Amino acid sequence: MPPGPFIPLASKLALLLRRKRGVDGKTPSTRAIAASTAEAPGQRPAMTHQVVNEILNGTKTDLKTSQLLGLARAFEIPLPYLLPGYNGLTSLAVYEEHQDAREALRLIHDLGPSGAAELLEAAREIRSRHGHSDLTVPEVPEPLPPVAEPPRPGRRRRLSFDEAAQRAVSDLEGT
């Protein structure tokens, strides 16, 4: 994969953080991210929330391998995406998740540019056969929209004085 333009790690993480919004529309806290860097639930995290905050702000750029692995776990992405020059999250995810994709790349290794062009043309034909006419696949896929949570029963929110007065009038009038 030829190196792409340099995108700072903090910028990549900001993009990933926006993709990780919860059903309430909020991004996870640095404490939650730090906790999810652990190898298994309940184990010690790969870094503290202060370190996560420094990385997200771009003040810490020299990360240890264990910290990079923890961030990849926390954001559920392939590790190479966090390295300089590897900007195609979509292609890295396909490469990591599908053995057949790795096999296809291995098979065209010594075929040169013409082999890559043939593979590309075949992929476009397959996409059109499957009804995917748009050939522009984003470098970073958009996340699925969060599922809306049903409203929880509980106390109603406090009303302003005007809202309370309007509600009282409508209750008295029976409307």
Side-chain angles (χ1 to χ4, degrees):
M1 174 184 300
F6 176 74
I7 298 176
L9 179 61
S11 297
K12 289 180 179 182
L13 292 177
L15 180 106
L16 293 171
L17 197 57
R18 284 194 304 270
R19 295 180 74 236
K20 205 158 176 68
R21 291 182 193 269
V23 292
D24 57 358
K26 296 181 180 177
T27 57
S29 68
T30 54
R31 288 184 191 274
I33 294 170
S36 60
T37 62
E39 286 188 39
Q43 286 188 343
R44 183 182 167 146
M47 64 191 87
T48 65
H49 72 278
Q50 292 97 341
V51 173
V52 170
N53 194 37
E54 290 173 358
I55 295 169
L56 290 174
N57 291 334
T59 56
K60 180 172 177 65
T61 56
D62 56 336
L63 276 63
K64 299 176 188 171
T65 305
S66 62
Q67 292 172 330
L68 284 171
L69 287 167
L71 285 173
R73 273 192 299 275
F75 287 104
E76 300 168 351
I77 58 161
L79 175 64
Y81 181 67
L82 299 175
L83 302 176
Y86 291 89
N87 302 329
L89 181 58
T90 304
S91 57
L92 288 169
V94 169
Y95 180 81
E96 210 170 79
E97 294 170 8
H98 302 288
Q99 174 66 32
D100 292 340
R102 292 191 296 275
E103 181 69 12
L105 291 174
R106 187 185 66 76
L107 290 174
I108 67 162
H109 168 70
D110 58 349
L111 297 179
S114 63
E118 285 181 52
L119 181 65
L120 185 61
E121 187 58 41
R124 285 184 175 141
E125 181 182 316
I126 292 168
R127 283 185 62 80
S128 67
R129 238 188 357 238
H130 286 266
H132 300 287
S133 60
D134 185 11
L135 295 178
T136 57
V137 179
E139 277 194 353
V140 177
E142 291 295 321
L144 296 173
V147 177
E149 242 182 53
R152 296 184 208 163
R155 284 181 30 185
R156 294 193 303 197
R157 70 175 180 85
R158 290 189 175 195
L159 302 176
S160 69
F161 184 75
D162 291 335
E163 290 172 325
Q166 288 173 353
R167 181 171 287 169
V169 169
S170 67
D171 287 347
L172 288 173
E173 292 176 349
T175 57

